[in-house]
């Protein structure tokens, strides 16, 4: 069953920072795929904008290379048509260069206009001021911003004030690309489209929930940024928090932007403060030919964490008593992101004590292979009495939907949602602020205590203390697959 392509109106997408890493790695390949799927109709344009002095032809060459390097394609027969819809403007966010030219380019039609701020947040205000000053923003315009959205509550509020000073909240699309993943949306479909799970989706039946986002990569070329951010700000406050929201939220009345975001906000606001002994921070050390974190960030005394695990609780009727364990880190033994919902044991084993402990687990695998597995307990086949084993009921979407089930990647989906004006999968200002309001005291706590992250060998599961965080509760993390 091929995925259905919903037509979109012609649009203009201006990518500020069109020569940068994010544009080349994600935005350009995503747009090319949507072009090939017929979602960039004829008069639509992609306009790259950055300070580099490039001709339109020169920028098209940048695009061609980006597709080769990050889109894994030479573009094939579709490439020339795609490039033909691309323009470039040399522009300075902080100066006067290029703005008249961009305005003239946009003035020739009344398409939906999306302005992707693929630049550092320090330039948001400059871009917003100049877009307004040159009257490029109308009611049908949208802006897209990326993480990091602030580094604490105060800076996030300041950014929101800046953006909301120029645009309506309904025009601001704050991307968390985890929300664009197929399986993350399937999580909502599984929860709210089936009768099977929702009645059991609460503290009465669920022992605990664990969320892992593990990466094998180190901080790469982003050492300076990461040294200031750490895993808590870079991953936990946004990606893991969003996953937690979707797992824990009440059913919204409708699958509509504010209905969904209202429910997510309630989850964040229900989070209790986290006890210091429920937090484990780690820092990778050198191994297997890679250098350690402190060398990567060029600070021999760095106290920034490349790994964090914590246990948190939601104070509401549905979840009182069910712990949520979250962990994320770099240089771990596998690239493996998953959510596991661990159901409670059956209240009484009719098969006697020798059959061991068995419980159901629902695992939502986000990467590398998206899919959902439900572990159920069955009789081990064969002679020898009643022995029980757990086997997975594998709901691999690729298998269920056939070889043509070609799910768009997160950026493809999210960019098309921007064009259609659908904010369901984007974070609202109050959500972002609530997430920081929960995160700030955690960070302030370890800063005040002078905590130093625990070292862990690169390509392992993180510090031993993270295992103990679970073990002392009689639980285990699911393995990180390499
Ligand atoms: P980058 O590689 O440094 O690119 C920055 C872009 O901004 C370049 O195109 C640069 O081009 C342009 N630029 C810089 N100053 C400018 C100015 N004064 N006027 C106009 N253009 C200017 O950064 P990036 O990695 O693409 O990241 C962009 C944003 O996305 C950042 O906020 C980052 O945190 C966020 N983000 C990135 C990723 C990723 O995978 N890279 C992932 C998530 C979030 P010129 O030098 O030619 O002007």
């Amino acid at each position: 069953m091929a995925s259905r392509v919903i037509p979109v109106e012609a649009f203009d997408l201006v990518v500020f920072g069109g020569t940068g890493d994010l544009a080349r790695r994600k935005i350009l390949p995503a747009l090319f795929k949507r072009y090939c799927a017929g979602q960039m109709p004829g008069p639509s344009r992609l306009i790259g904008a950055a300070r580099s002095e490039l001709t339109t032809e020169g920028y098209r060459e940048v695009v061609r290379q980006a597709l080769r390097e990050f889109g894994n394609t030479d573009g094939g027969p579709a490439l020339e048509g795609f490039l033909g819809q691309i323009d470039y403007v040399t522009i300075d966010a902080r100066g006067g260069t290029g703005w008249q030219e961009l305005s003239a380019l946009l003035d020739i039609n009344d398409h939906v206009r999306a302005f992707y701020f693929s630049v550092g947040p320090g330039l948001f205000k400059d871009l917003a001021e100049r877009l307004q000053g040159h009257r490029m923003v109308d009611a049908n315009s949208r802006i897209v911003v990326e993480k990091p959205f602030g580094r604490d509550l105060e800076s996030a509020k300041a950014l929101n004030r800046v953006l909301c000073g120029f645009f309506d909240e309904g025009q601001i699309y704050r991307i968390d690309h985890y929300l664009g993943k197929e399986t993350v949306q399937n999580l909502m479909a599984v929860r709210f489209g089936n009768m099977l799970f929702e009645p059991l989706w609460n503290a009465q039946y669920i022992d605990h929930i664990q969320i892992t986002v593990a990466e094998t990569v180190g901080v790469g070329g982003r050492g300076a940024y990461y040294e200031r951010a750490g895993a808590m700000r870079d991953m936990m406050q946004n990606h893991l928090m969003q996953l937690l929201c979707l797992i824990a939220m009440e059913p919204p009345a409708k699958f509509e932007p504010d209905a969904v975001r209202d429910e997510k906000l309630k989850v964040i606001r229900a989070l209790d403060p986290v006890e210091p002994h429920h937090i484990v921070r780690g820092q990778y050390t050198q191994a297997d030919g890679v250098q350690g974190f402190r060398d990567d960030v060029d600070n021999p005394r760095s106290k920034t964490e490349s790994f964090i695990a914590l246990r948190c609780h939601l104070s509401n009727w549905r979840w009182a008593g069910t712990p949520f364990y979250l962990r994320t880190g770099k240089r771990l033994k596998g690239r493996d992101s998953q959510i596991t919902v661990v159901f409670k044991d059956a209240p009484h084993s009719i098969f006697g004590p020798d059959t061991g402990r068995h419980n159901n687990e629902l695992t939502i695998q986000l990467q590398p292979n998206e899919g959902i597995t439900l572990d159920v307990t069955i009789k081990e086949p064969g002679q020898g009495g009643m022995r029980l084993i757990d086997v997975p009921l594998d709901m691999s979407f690729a298998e269920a939907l056939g070889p043509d089930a070609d799910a768009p990647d997160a950026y493809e989906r999210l960019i098309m949602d921007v064009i259609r004006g659908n904010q369901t999968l984007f974070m609202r200002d109050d959500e972002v602020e609530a997430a920081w309001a929960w995160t700030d005291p955690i960070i302030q706590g370890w800063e005040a205590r002078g905590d130093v992250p625990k070292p862990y060998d690169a390509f392992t599961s993180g510090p031993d203390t993270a295992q103990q965080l679970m073990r002392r509760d009689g639980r285990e993390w699911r393995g990180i697959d390499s």
Side-chain angles (χ1 to χ4, degrees):
M1 188 196 310
S3 56
R4 201 157 53 93
V5 173
I6 303 168
V8 291
E9 299 280 308
F11 60 89
D12 286 341
L13 173 65
V14 180
V15 182
F16 293 110
T19 56
D21 184 67
L22 178 69
R24 288 182 300 114
R25 194 181 287 277
K26 297 290 181 189
I27 304 171
L28 300 172
L31 210 62
F32 177 62
K33 284 207 193 152
R34 288 299 93 203
Y35 171 86
C36 293
Q39 282 191 319
M40 192 170 163
S44 305
R45 285 172 306 170
L46 164 71
I47 304 172
R51 288 169 307 178
S52 302
E53 297 202 358
L54 294 171
T55 58
T56 288
E57 207 35 64
Y59 186 61
R60 289 175 182 171
E61 190 49 40
V62 170
V63 176
R64 197 179 267 128
Q65 280 176 17
L67 296 184
R68 220 174 284 136
E69 196 175 347
F70 301 112
N72 221 0
T73 174
D74 67 0
L79 181 65
E80 290 311 314
F82 178 60
L83 294 179
Q85 288 179 229
I86 294 179
D87 281 312
Y88 180 78
V89 181
T90 300
I91 217 162
D92 185 354
R94 295 210 158 116
T97 312
W99 290 96
Q100 298 278 11
E101 200 185 334
L102 179 62
S103 170
L105 261 180
L106 293 175
D107 267 353
I108 58 175
N109 61 48
D110 57 357
H111 293 166
V112 163
R113 286 175 193 171
F115 299 99
Y116 204 126
F117 288 12
S118 183
V119 295
L123 293 179
F124 289 1
K125 182 164 186 253
D126 302 290
L127 290 176
E129 266 172 5
R130 283 163 179 76
L131 283 172
Q132 286 288 8
H134 287 83
R135 299 180 194 288
M136 284 185 244
V137 179
D138 59 23
N140 215 10
S141 305
R142 288 114 214 215
I143 63 143
V144 186
V145 294
E146 276 283 344
K147 77 166 198 185
F149 201 84
R151 54 174 280 106
D152 53 20
L153 178 58
E154 200 185 327
S155 55
K157 278 184 170 172
L159 265 184
N160 277 333
R161 270 197 304 274
V162 163
L163 294 178
C164 294
F166 294 96
F167 311 101
D168 291 337
E169 178 59 31
Q171 296 178 296
I172 303 170
Y173 290 70
R174 296 175 192 80
I175 282 203
D176 185 316
H177 72 271
Y178 269 61
L179 293 180
K181 287 180 182 290
E182 184 73 6
T183 313
V184 172
Q185 291 172 70
N186 245 317
L187 176 57
M188 284 190 275
V190 165
R191 277 194 64 192
F192 304 132
N194 295 287
M195 194 55 198
L196 186 60
F197 297 109
E198 201 48 29
L200 307 178
W201 209 259
N202 55 52
Q204 198 184 341
Y205 296 102
I206 291 179
D207 176 71
H208 75 279
I209 291 176
Q210 45 179 282
I211 303 178
T212 294
V213 176
E215 299 178 286
T216 50
V217 293
V219 300
R222 298 163 70 222
Y225 157 74
Y226 204 89
E227 167 68 355
R228 271 175 48 76
M232 186 72 185
R233 289 188 173 97
D234 187 53
M235 298 293 290
M236 187 71 79
Q237 183 272 346
N238 39 63
H239 302 318
L240 278 87
M241 176 73 77
Q242 289 296 321
L243 298 179
L244 171 70
C245 286
L246 296 180
I247 273 282
M249 72 183 188
E250 296 300 316
K254 291 194 169 146
F255 190 59
E256 286 180 354
D258 279 335
V260 171
R261 298 186 300 177
D262 286 347
E263 296 305 336
K264 281 162 55 195
L265 179 62
K266 286 182 208 162
V267 172
I268 304 173
R269 289 189 173 154
L271 273 167
D272 289 340
V274 181
E275 305 279 341
H277 64 282
H278 289 156
I279 303 169
V280 174
R281 295 165 71 230
Q283 211 179 53
Y284 60 82
T285 55
Q286 65 176 86
D288 275 355
V290 298
Q291 59 183 15
F293 180 83
R294 290 180 169 187
D295 288 326
D296 279 350
V297 300
D298 203 16
N299 178 4
R301 280 194 284 277
S302 171
K303 288 186 184 174
T304 303
E305 75 286 352
S306 59
F307 173 98
I308 185 160
L310 54 81
R311 171 182 142 170
C312 56
H313 287 266
L314 289 165
S315 278
N316 62 21
W317 270 52
R318 186 187 284 263
W319 294 116
T322 297
F324 290 76
Y325 299 88
L326 315 183
R327 81 179 154 166
T328 181
K330 292 195 176 292
R331 284 275 188 257
L332 295 179
K333 66 189 281 202
R335 177 171 172 264
D336 188 1
S337 299
Q338 51 171 276
I339 305 169
T340 307
V341 179
V342 181
F343 289 86
K344 289 186 173 169
D345 294 349
H348 165 68
S349 171
I350 65 169
F351 305 110
D354 298 339
T355 52
R357 283 182 62 180
H358 295 275
N359 53 6
N360 302 117
E361 285 184 15
L362 183 71
T363 301
I364 298 112
Q365 186 74 37
L366 304 176
Q367 59 190 23
N369 302 313
E370 298 193 39
I372 297 184
T373 317
L374 178 66
D375 280 354
V376 291
T377 302
I378 62 165
K379 177 188 170 299
E380 193 177 319
Q383 308 275 334
M386 183 62 87
R387 293 187 308 271
L388 303 183
I389 51 167
D390 293 333
V391 293
L393 280 182
D394 194 344
M395 294 183 268
S396 151
F397 304 126
E399 248 169 60
L401 302 177
D404 295 333
D406 181 20
D409 93 0
Y411 274 88
E412 291 177 60
R413 180 192 315 280
L414 294 173
I415 291 171
M416 285 301 119
D417 279 357
V418 171
I419 303 301
R420 290 196 199 94
N422 182 351
Q423 288 186 306
T424 309
L425 300 175
F426 297 83
M427 292 175 297
R428 210 169 50 191
D429 53 354
D430 48 5
E431 259 184 275
V432 174
E433 290 179 16
W436 280 119
W438 177 76
T439 309
D440 274 4
I442 299 174
I443 296 175
Q444 286 157 3
W446 74 54
E447 284 177 351
R449 292 189 300 274
D451 289 354
V452 178
K454 303 270 184 298
Y456 61 93
D457 290 342
F459 308 119
T460 61
S461 300
D464 291 342
T465 38
Q467 306 301 326
Q468 286 154 24
L469 179 74
M470 283 284 235
R471 280 187 191 144
R472 67 183 180 225
D473 294 343
R475 301 181 174 109
E476 288 285 341
W477 290 106
R478 298 301 164 259
I480 296 173
D481 283 333
S482 39

